[in-house]
């Protein structure tokens, strides 16, 4: 089949270089590159699954505000260090 495509200059240069390196025609390099692209896109992967883990948190400890607590502790440490520099 004959068709016209517009290639970006960098892509055309890479294809031409590959054709020279492999000693084959531009058409062969282009077709094999497109085939490889399609075959790699067809690879099926299994869906990502998150497995819950026990954090070993003691009963009564609420982690809902853990980031807020970490921020407050970091602020307190920063203030302490600034006071030491005076």
């Amino acid at each position: 089949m004959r068709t016209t495509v517009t290639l970006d200059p960098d892509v055309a240069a890479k294809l031409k270089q590959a054709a020279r390196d492999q000693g084959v025609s531009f058409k062969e390099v282009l077709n094999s590159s497109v085939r490889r692209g399609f075959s790699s896109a067809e690879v099926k992967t299994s869906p990502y699954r998150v497995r819950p883990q026990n954090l070993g948190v003691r009963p009564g400890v609420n982690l809902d505000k853990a980031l807020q607590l970490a921020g407050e502790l970091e602020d307190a440490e920063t203030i302490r260090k600034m006071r030491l520099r005076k």
Side-chain angles (χ1 to χ4, degrees):
M1 178 179 152
R2 177 174 218 126
T3 188
T4 301
V5 296
T6 304
L7 300 173
D8 291 338
D10 62 317
V11 174
K14 287 180 182 180
L15 289 169
K16 287 178 185 176
Q17 183 63 47
R20 280 192 298 273
D21 293 346
Q22 297 172 24
V24 296
S25 70
F26 182 84
K27 174 184 168 182
E28 288 178 74
V29 172
L30 177 61
N31 283 321
S32 65
S33 298
V34 171
R35 282 189 190 100
R36 271 196 317 273
F38 280 126
S39 67
S40 67
E42 294 172 359
V43 174
K44 303 261 180 172
T45 58
S46 59
Y48 182 77
R49 301 217 187 263
V50 176
R51 292 181 181 88
Q53 298 291 322
N54 182 1
L55 297 176
V57 178
R58 295 183 186 137
V61 175
N62 184 356
L63 295 179
D64 291 340
K65 306 254 181 183
L67 289 177
Q68 179 183 350
L69 175 60
E72 290 170 2
L73 291 172
E74 184 178 358
D75 293 345
E77 180 64 12
T78 302
I79 291 168
R80 185 187 72 79
K81 287 180 180 179
M82 289 174 69
R83 286 184 181 151
L84 289 175
R85 284 189 231 160
K86 288 185 180 180

